[in-house]
């Protein structure tokens, strides 16, 4: 047995962990060969389209569908009345509330679904939408959650005003829940006694992920064999199958849910939308496939928004700058229905990570969820679980405290970081941070950008501005974040009662290639590339020879889907564990073939070798073949494994970001001169994919911090429902990102990996915002709200007297 290839070459042939392997999915994406929902064209497909409410709050007096039905090509017009006998005019939300599928008596937000037109093609459906006559009676509109809590107007007439909601008692008919974590009395006592206290209120505005492809589905009820197939833009296909079964009464084995290629999810495609339900009903009624694909305006107006958090903080410290306590209260605007996609026990997601990366001995968080006349479905956008809000809050509070103490904000952070030796660290608000090394990351980041040099330059620029020599000022944005991803332990995380484990099933073929299926679903993250790399390193078969499949509930094992950067921490762990099961069986096969005891062989890259005699080995290819063609005493034929992985804890990626920005105080235009991002996501599976994730997340952070918003006027009119008004950054606005890393593996994850997809957004938003605010700090700025669009930046300068 002669080996022509060196061990290093064998390692590199695997294309396993740490390899910047090119994304296998890109061949089809870059050639326009992807298969998205709108590419599906089953024979006889009908198209659905919605009649939507122009009013944000109105009673529906009548709906007349006669003219629409009379139009050639219109097959059906569904209203709440048609869904009611089926019990489908309302549906449960992921947050334990319920939501109208089609307007039942009244509408609660502009763009709400009122009737569903089904026609032979999209154009006819659109024409018919115009022909449906709806008579509305306008009702008072509430878009401000504070006013909502004072108002006599009852938004949700379907709810008993005094009855508790899914998360406990309600204080008012427009109140949803109160969620409290930590020790309020103790925190107040510490803050009242403190040397230094900084207070600030901030609004994290409502925004929307606006993925390239909007939401859509094709429902096909095959009446002959009783099978319902649902293709759709689903981030959690198995959960959709379970919900569809519970709602429709069709047994779960008779429902197949498939997520084909998805053109970006970003949390927008976690929830269940009326379009899915209406398409299913329409297909059951008509017996032919029904397609529904929303347009851009519908996507921006009616599907899961993000944020809309009014946050009030108090932070206390000693004279030396050691933080002693943190108090946070949030008024959370959830819109018309509470449709947040949080794990059941966390009505404000993981907002209680708001103590951030700092060792804060005592803290309190209180959140009040409130109904308003806005679209439902919160908590999406590159952090489905409110970690963006939490990190924005603490990173602003740190800056405000630094201003209060007249201290350098980088130094203030350093003094308060949780120290390396304190991990695993139990935070005051109940999390166990698995690992971290914040000081190393911070020092590396500050050194990389020459932080002291930047501050000197900034001081010179301030002086020059004051002398009237320049009209631009310079901001240095800092942020240090700790993410919490990988929901999650089944003991405390579930969605609609389904524990948040995930899964991987591997099947090795006789010739030594393999297929693996997982319970997650890529929306562009590159899972087909990266999961194969995890497996390659675990089982010694090249990633090139492993096909990854996701998103078909008929074949993939049950999983909770992809959001909250959970794929790597949970399904990635399942992949490693399933790989280890394969390896354990392969070891027995190898020992049999080599005629030695199981314990006398060991795994080496792509083979099992005899301990002490590495020239005697069996490759994984040989072992796979033997699994199918030899009768091995005591072993079943075949080489397959499945793992359902329930993570013992979340993973806690972290990072240090610095943004250097110039601001023209007369135009309000910011120019980003430098953006440095250091990320620590533990073991790095594919550095190139990670880099892509960071670039994407930072660009979305830039968008949110510097202009992107969903705003409403007092009548509840949506002000940013088109891309004319909704800021999407292009190459023009995006700087050249510098990425860097440290590696602090997760101690409980089988390969030490933590998630990374959300991190750049979580850390990026406060970094961009802090850069703007830091530029104005020498001129007296303390806090201004995002989005820092040109007008708001100009106004900040104006308010500070810089135009005088
Ligand atoms: N350490 C590590 C980690 C990670 N990784 C890679 O990276 C990625 C990612 O991952 P993760 O972090 O785990 O995550 P996932 O789960 O997968 O995903 C999710 C995320 O992802 C992100 N990114 C992205 N990209 C794209 N392209 N698209 C999309 O859509 C998206 N989205 C976004 C979001 S929003 Mo949420 O939903 O809101 O919650 S969440 C999210 C993949 O591929 C993986 O493999 C590596 O390599 N390494
Ligand atoms: Cu998150």
């Amino acid at each position: 047995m002669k080996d022509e290839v060196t061990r290093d070459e064998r390692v590199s042939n695997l294309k396993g962990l740490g390899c910047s392997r090119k994304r296998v999915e890109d061949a089809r994406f870059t050639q326009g060969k992807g298969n998205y929902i709108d590419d599906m064209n089953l024979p006889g497909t009908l198209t659905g389209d919605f009649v939507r409410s122009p009013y944000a709050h109105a009673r529906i007096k009548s709906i007349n569908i006669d003219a629409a039905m009379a139009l050639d090509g219109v097959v059906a017009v569904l209203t709440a009345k048609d869904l009611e006998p089926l019990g489908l005019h309302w549906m449960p939300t992921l947050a334990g509330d319920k939501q109208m599928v089609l307007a039942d008596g009244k509408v609660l937000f502009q763009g709400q679904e009122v009737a569903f037109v089904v026609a032979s093609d999209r154009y006819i459906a659109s024409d018919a939408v115009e022909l449906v006559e709806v008579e509305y009676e306008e009702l008072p509109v509430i878009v401000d959650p504070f006013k909502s809590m004072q108002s006599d107007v009852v938004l949700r007439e379907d709810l008993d005003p005094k009855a508790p909601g899914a998360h406990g008692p309600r204080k008012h008919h427009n109140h949803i829940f109160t969620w409290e974590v930590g020790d309020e009395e103790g925190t107040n006592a510490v803050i009242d006694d403190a040397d230094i206290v900084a207070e600030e209120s901030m609004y994290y505005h409502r925004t929307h992920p606006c993925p390239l492809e909007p939401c859509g589905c094709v429902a096909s009820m095959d009446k002959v064999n009783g099978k319902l197939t649902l293709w759709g833009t689903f981030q959690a296909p198995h959960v959709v199958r379970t919900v569809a079964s519970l709602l429709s009464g069709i047994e779960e084995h008779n429902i197949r849910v498939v997520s084909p290629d998805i053109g970006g999810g970003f949390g927008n495609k976690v929830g269940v939308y009326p379009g899915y339900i209406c398409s299913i009903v329409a297909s059951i009624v008509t017996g032919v496939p029904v397609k529904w694909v929303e347009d851009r305006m519908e996507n921006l107006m009616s599907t899961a928004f993000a944020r809309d958090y009014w946050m009030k903080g108090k932070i206390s410290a000693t004279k030396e700058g050691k933080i002693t306590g943190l108090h946070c209260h949030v008024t959370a605007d959830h819109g018309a229905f509470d449709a947040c996609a949080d794990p059941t026990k966390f009505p404000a997601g993981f907002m209680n990570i708001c103590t951030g990366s700092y060792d804060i001995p005592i803290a309190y968080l209180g959140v009040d969820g409130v109904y308003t006349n806005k679209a439902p479905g919160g908590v999406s956008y590159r952090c489905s679980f409110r970690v963006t809000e939490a990190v924005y809050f603490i990173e602003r509070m740190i800056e405000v405290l630094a201003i209060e103490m007249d201290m350098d904000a980088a130094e203030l952070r350093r003094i308060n970081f949780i120290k390396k030796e304190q991990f695993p660290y139990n935070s005051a608000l109940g999390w166990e941070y698995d690992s971290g090394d914040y000081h190393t990351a911070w020092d590396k980041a500050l050194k990389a950008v020459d932080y002291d040099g930047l501050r000197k330059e900034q001081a010179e620029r301030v002086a020059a501005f004051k002398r009237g020599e320049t009209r631009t000022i310079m901001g240095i944005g800092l942020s240090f974040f700790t993410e919490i991803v990988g929901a999650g332990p089944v003991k405390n995380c579930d969605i609609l009662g389904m524990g948040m484990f995930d899964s991987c099933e591997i099947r090795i073929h006789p010739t030594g290639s393999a297929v693996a299926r997982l319970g997650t679903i890529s929306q562009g993250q590159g899972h087909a590339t990266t999961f194969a790399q995890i497996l390659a390193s675990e089982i010694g078969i090249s990633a090139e020879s492993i096909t990854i499949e996701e998103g078909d509930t008929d074949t993939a094992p049950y999983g909770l889907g992809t959001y909250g950067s959970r794929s790597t921490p949970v399904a990635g762990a399942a992949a490693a564990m399933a790989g280890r099961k394969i390896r354990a069986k392969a070891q027995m096969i190898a020992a049999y073939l080599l005629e030695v005891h199981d314990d006398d062989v060991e795994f080496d890259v792509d083979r099992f070798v005899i301990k002490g005699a590495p020239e005697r080995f069996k490759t994984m290819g040989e072992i796979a073949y033997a699994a199918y063609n030899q009768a091995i005493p005591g072993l079943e034929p075949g080489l397959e494994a499945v793992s359902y992985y329930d993570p013992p804890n979340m993973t806690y990626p972290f990072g240090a970001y610095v943004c250097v920005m110039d601001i023209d105080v007369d135009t309000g235009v910011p120019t980003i001169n430098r953006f440095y991002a250091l990320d620590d996501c533990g073991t790095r599976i594919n550095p190139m994919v990670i880099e892509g994730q960071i670039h994407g997340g930072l660009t979305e952070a830039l968008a949110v911090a510097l202009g992107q918003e969903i705003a409403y006027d007092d009548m509840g009119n949506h002000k940013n429902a088109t891309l004319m008004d909704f800021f999407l950054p292009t190459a023009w606005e995006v700087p050249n990102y510098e990425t860097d890393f440290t590696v602090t593996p997760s101690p409980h994850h089988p390969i030490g990996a933590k998630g990374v997809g959300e991190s750049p957004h979580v850390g990026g938003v406060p970094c961009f915002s802090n850069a703007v605010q830091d530029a104005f700090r020498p001129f007296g700025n303390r806090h201004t709200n995002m989005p820092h669009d040109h007008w708001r930046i100009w106004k900040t300068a104006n308010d500070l007297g810089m135009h005088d």
Side-chain angles (χ1 to χ4, degrees):
M1 283 180 262
K2 212 163 107 241
D3 202 4
E4 304 287 314
V5 199
T6 67
R7 190 171 185 280
D8 283 351
E9 283 168 329
R10 289 197 280 121
V11 172
S12 107
N13 287 343
L14 278 187
K15 306 209 171 166
L17 288 184
C19 167
S20 279
R21 182 182 183 222
K22 284 195 183 155
R23 303 197 338 160
V24 294
E25 42 275 88
D26 288 352
R28 73 174 185 281
F29 292 157
T30 54
Q31 293 177 54
K33 299 270 167 61
N35 180 37
Y36 301 94
I37 279 299
D38 215 22
D39 295 323
M40 294 212 32
N41 282 308
L42 302 175
T45 299
L46 299 173
T47 300
D49 199 359
F50 279 112
V51 176
R52 292 178 182 272
S53 170
Y55 297 108
H57 196 196
R59 204 158 307 282
I60 296 187
K61 309 285 285 179
S62 66
I63 303 178
N64 183 348
I65 64 168
D66 296 348
M69 284 300 289
L71 189 71
D72 223 17
V74 173
V75 177
V77 180
L78 301 177
T79 64
K81 275 205 186 68
D82 302 302
L83 299 183
E84 194 172 352
L86 307 166
L88 289 175
H89 54 320
W90 287 76
M91 63 178 180
T93 70
L94 296 178
D97 194 359
K98 54 184 179 145
Q99 171 176 354
M100 289 179 211
V101 174
L102 289 173
D104 183 22
K106 70 173 188 170
V107 289
L108 284 156
F109 64 95
Q110 189 185 50
Q112 187 177 334
E113 299 81 359
V114 174
F116 190 66
V117 172
V118 185
S120 53
D121 73 36
R122 175 124 204 183
Y123 299 96
I124 296 172
S126 292
D127 289 347
V129 162
E130 301 296 321
L131 295 174
V132 175
E133 293 158 18
V134 187
E135 201 189 329
Y136 297 95
E137 177 190 304
E138 284 185 69
L139 295 169
V141 172
I142 308 176
V143 290
D144 176 331
F146 298 98
K147 287 186 187 151
S148 185
M149 285 292 288
Q150 307 296 327
S151 174
D152 294 337
V153 176
V154 179
L155 296 178
R156 291 289 300 275
E157 290 166 2
D158 59 297
L159 300 176
D160 172 350
K162 298 240 159 27
H167 306 291
R170 296 163 60 222
K171 297 176 193 164
H172 180 264
H173 50 254
N174 295 334
H175 181 237
I176 309 172
F177 64 83
T178 298
W179 187 52
E180 292 183 284
V181 196
D183 173 356
E184 179 159 38
E185 220 176 290
T187 304
N188 285 340
V190 166
I191 292 176
D192 288 346
D193 271 1
D195 294 340
I196 292 153
V197 179
E199 289 185 45
E200 194 52 73
S201 296
M202 56 192 91
Y203 177 47
Y204 197 142
H205 58 294
R206 179 177 272 237
T207 181
H208 191 286
C210 191
L212 206 54
E213 181 200 26
C215 302
C217 72
V218 175
S220 177
M221 183 73 209
D222 179 338
K223 290 200 168 166
V224 176
N225 56 34
K227 263 216 150 195
L228 171 70
T229 307
L230 190 61
W231 293 267
T233 49
F234 310 130
Q235 289 184 234
H238 282 96
V239 180
V240 170
R241 187 185 71 190
T242 302
V243 173
S245 172
L246 292 172
L247 287 181
S248 67
I250 300 172
E251 278 193 89
E252 204 163 350
H253 74 285
N254 275 332
I255 302 179
R256 176 181 172 214
V257 175
V258 185
S259 296
D261 286 330
I262 297 179
F266 306 106
N268 188 228
K269 294 164 179 170
V270 176
V272 173
Y273 295 120
Y276 306 158
I277 310 287
C278 290
S279 302
I280 294 173
V281 171
S283 180
I284 293 175
V285 171
T286 60
V288 292
V290 175
K291 182 195 276 191
W292 165 75
V293 179
E294 64 186 7
D295 66 20
R296 181 58 62 200
M297 286 182 77
E298 297 181 291
N299 179 253
L300 284 169
M301 286 179 89
S302 68
T303 60
F305 71 91
R307 328 296 179 230
D308 219 343
Y309 257 32
W310 298 85
M311 307 184 282
K312 228 175 131 155
K314 272 191 213 170
I315 191 165
S316 62
T318 64
K319 286 191 209 75
E320 294 71 40
K322 183 81 193 68
I323 300 170
T324 53
L326 178 74
H327 189 286
C328 176
H329 183 268
V330 181
T331 300
D333 187 338
H334 284 225
F337 309 99
D338 185 10
C340 295
D342 293 314
T344 306
K345 291 185 186 131
F346 298 88
F350 303 154
M351 183 65 200
N352 55 330
I353 192 86
C354 66
T355 53
S357 314
Y358 312 103
D359 184 13
I360 302 181
I362 192 162
Y364 166 80
L365 166 72
V367 183
D368 281 296
V370 180
Y371 291 122
T372 58
N373 289 121
K374 299 181 185 172
V379 205
S380 69
Y381 205 169
R382 222 159 184 135
C383 182
S384 292
F385 301 142
R386 303 285 189 193
V387 186
T388 30
E389 288 90 324
V391 171
Y392 185 73
F393 169 78
I394 184 68
E395 289 304 284
R396 281 306 303 150
M397 289 310 293
I398 291 279
E399 294 283 321
V400 169
L401 180 61
I403 293 168
E404 186 78 34
M405 302 189 65
D406 196 19
M407 216 179 140
D408 177 77
E411 185 56 22
L412 182 58
R413 285 180 173 84
R414 191 198 314 275
I415 295 173
N416 288 289
F417 281 143
I418 301 161
K419 295 189 191 73
K420 193 179 169 184
E421 54 278 11
Q422 286 176 281
F423 292 95
Y425 172 81
N426 289 301
S427 79
L429 294 179
W431 296 112
E432 184 189 306
Y433 292 28
D434 67 344
S435 58
D437 182 356
Y438 300 164
H439 286 95
T440 302
W442 198 227
D443 290 343
K444 190 174 182 188
L446 298 186
K447 189 156 176 256
V449 298
D450 180 21
Y451 181 69
D452 295 339
L454 287 175
R455 284 290 176 208
K456 239 181 249 150
E457 191 185 336
Q458 185 188 35
E460 283 158 18
R461 293 277 297 280
V462 171
F465 184 89
K466 288 185 172 162
R467 289 195 302 268
E469 290 163 16
T470 174
R471 295 298 289 162
T472 67
I473 53 174
M474 171 179 167
I476 305 166
L478 302 174
S479 84
F480 196 100
F481 67 92
T482 296
E483 248 272 63
I484 168 171
V485 296
V490 170
K491 62 176 188 287
N492 57 12
C493 284
D494 72 277
I495 296 266
L496 284 181
M498 303 305 302
M500 296 182 76
F501 60 86
D502 227 288
S503 59
C504 173
E505 184 187 281
I506 316 171
R507 191 170 294 179
I508 315 283
H509 307 314
T511 50
S513 69
V515 59
R517 301 187 173 101
L518 298 99
T520 43
I521 173 70
S522 182
Q523 310 120 40
Q525 292 88 347
H527 290 174
T529 308
T530 54
F531 281 133
Q533 293 181 247
I534 297 179
L535 287 169
S537 290
E538 289 294 338
I539 61 180
I541 289 176
S542 170
E544 304 287 325
S545 303
I546 304 172
T547 297
I548 300 292
E549 286 181 8
E550 298 178 306
D552 184 339
T553 59
D554 263 10
T555 54
Y558 205 102
L560 273 283
T562 292
Y563 42 87
S565 268
R566 63 184 301 280
S567 303
T568 303
V570 195
M577 298 312 273
R580 286 172 197 183
K581 290 183 187 173
I582 296 277
R583 215 160 76 187
K585 184 166 179 186
Q587 178 164 7
M588 294 189 261
I589 298 172
Y592 170 81
L593 297 174
L594 291 163
E595 295 177 349
V596 294
H597 188 270
D598 292 357
D599 293 343
D600 294 331
V601 295
E602 62 187 355
F603 186 67
D604 182 51
V605 187
D606 56 356
R607 64 193 55 187
F608 276 93
V609 301
I610 294 185
K611 287 181 186 164
E615 70 287 352
R616 292 197 52 213
F617 62 84
K618 288 288 168 194
T619 64
M620 282 305 295
E622 293 170 308
I623 293 167
Y625 197 62
Y628 291 89
N629 83 342
Q630 302 234 357
I632 302 171
L635 276 188
E636 288 176 10
L639 195 51
E640 297 187 11
V642 60
S643 167
Y644 285 81
Y645 189 80
D646 177 10
N649 192 1
M650 315 262 182
T651 65
Y652 295 76
F654 58 92
Y657 293 177
V658 184
C659 173
V660 184
M661 185 185 276
D662 273 356
I663 287 176
D664 181 328
V665 298
D666 297 320
T667 60
V669 175
T671 308
I672 298 152
N673 292 321
R674 216 170 155 187
F675 198 103
Y676 169 91
L678 178 148
D679 271 88
D680 191 317
C681 55
T683 304
R684 291 153 55 87
I685 301 161
N686 183 321
M688 188 165 61
V689 167
I690 292 174
E691 177 138 357
Q693 288 292 314
I694 309 264
H695 284 210
L698 289 176
T699 301
E700 290 184 322
L702 180 154
V704 169
L706 301 184
Q708 200 171 71
E709 78 175 310
I710 296 287
Y712 294 84
D713 69 13
D714 290 344
M715 292 173 71
N717 291 310
H718 193 296
K719 297 204 288 186
N720 318 80
T722 78
L723 297 185
M724 292 290 286
D725 304 304
F726 188 79
F727 172 48
L728 273 194
T730 63
W732 182 256
E733 290 91 1
V734 174
N736 180 28
Y737 301 118
E738 301 162 49
T739 56
D740 203 347
F741 62 96
T742 54
V743 176
T744 310
S746 166
H748 59 80
H749 187 282
I751 61 165
K754 306 174 182 180
V756 77
E758 296 183 333
S759 295
H761 197 72
V762 168
V765 174
C767 191
F768 286 110
S769 178
N770 282 344
V772 174
Q773 316 227 26
D774 179 75
F776 289 109
R777 177 176 166 177
F779 302 92
N781 174 60
R782 190 180 160 99
H783 175 80
T784 53
N785 282 329
M786 293 188 292
H788 308 290
D789 52 18
H790 301 174
W791 180 77
R792 284 189 180 89
I793 292 178
W794 180 90
K795 186 163 183 306
T796 302
N798 200 56
D799 291 348
L800 293 171
M802 296 170 82
H803 296 150
D804 300 342

